[in-house]
Amino acid sequence: MANKQTMRKVPAASALAALGDPMRCAIFEQLARKPSPVGALAERLPVTRSAVSQHLRVLKEAGLVTDMADGTRRIYRLDPRGIGAVRDWLDKHWTKALDAFQAWSDAQDEEEDRR
Amino acid sequence: MTIAPILRSVTVKAPPATAFARFTQQMARWWPASHHVGGEPFHEIVIEPHPEGRWFERDKAGVEVQWGKVLAWDPPGRVLLGWQLTSDFKFDPAFVTELEIRFDPDGTGTRVTLEHRNLERYGDAAEKMRAMLDSGWPGIVADFAAFADQE
């Protein structure tokens, strides 16, 4: 069947690498807020349209965003099929949480040492 | 479909028993404050210290939102939790991903290793999510956005 949807396996590493760039991360978060065309993203962020397009291509290849035609424009949004987005959020979350635990726990010990 | 587990570790100065107690019983003291699931910031985060114990946040007004449950309680070396928040950050008793935290001696301190696995189970959720989005249900992306905003 020509239009059969194929299940894509997205390597998590590429999703993480794609979001390692701060501007791509910003674009991703903008799209989480609201599906948008390239022009609207370029207006909200300090980069050119063509830079936004390039970043979107990387995000799309990583399975994080998807696009659909809307008249002459393309609307980008988070790819709901991709679990790359969820995994990335969790990865960032656990990194932040463990770092916070380490800082807090070590601070408790320093406080005890001072007593 | 399988997806790689998340594996993270840090080393803390405290010995394992202390690190275990601080991690599991004083969670609200160190957990990133913006990462709450309920509508209000958490006041406490509770892990009931026994198998099948609930893991939940409680806000100042006493409203509780469950995150998961205890699958194995083995102080001071290990705790296995069920993380039961779906991709739209809602508690689902039928959805369980394993979160194992190990506390291994490292010199006079502790190496804390966290592994979040069974992430492919989010694939099933993603399929459901897609079906809902396709039928016009708008909540998911907005919920995700609310979370992303808290970063």
Side-chain angles (χ1 to χ4, degrees), chain B:
Chain B
M1 179 153 120
T2 59
I3 189 160
I6 291 168
L7 198 56
R8 294 273 151 196
S9 66
V10 288
T11 301
V12 297
K13 291 177 181 149
T18 307
F20 183 95
R22 284 176 180 166
F23 192 99
T24 58
Q25 300 302 297
Q26 294 187 281
M27 203 168 250
R29 302 283 302 278
W30 58 268
W31 188 270
S34 61
H35 289 202
H36 58 89
V37 179
E40 295 296 319
F42 57 77
H43 182 61
E44 283 177 280
I45 303 172
V46 178
I47 299 176
E48 294 169 345
H50 53 82
E52 291 300 309
R54 291 180 313 137
W55 180 18
F56 60 94
E57 65 174 74
R58 181 153 57 209
D59 70 16
K60 273 212 156 121
V63 177
E64 294 177 359
V65 179
Q66 191 164 349
W67 295 1
K69 64 180 174 186
V70 175
L71 299 173
W73 184 260
D74 303 320
R78 166 186 183 256
V79 61
L80 183 63
L81 299 169
W83 173 267
Q84 298 180 273
L85 297 173
T86 60
S87 50
D88 55 337
F89 298 100
K90 296 278 190 290
F91 174 73
D92 179 351
F95 177 79
V96 185
T97 59
E98 287 182 1
L99 184 68
E100 181 175 48
I101 304 114
R102 290 190 303 276
F103 300 84
D104 298 310
D106 184 356
T108 56
T110 307
R111 184 156 189 82
V112 182
T113 307
L114 177 149
E115 183 175 344
H116 194 171
R117 52 187 181 242
N118 319 123
L119 299 179
E120 61 280 358
R121 290 178 191 166
Y122 278 104
D124 304 337
E127 272 302 306
K128 272 189 261 167
M129 185 156 93
R130 184 171 67 85
M132 281 190 277
L133 283 170
D134 285 350
S135 64
W137 192 68
I140 299 275
V141 174
D143 284 342
F144 187 88
F147 243 85
D149 282 350
Q150 288 165 15
E151 272 295 288

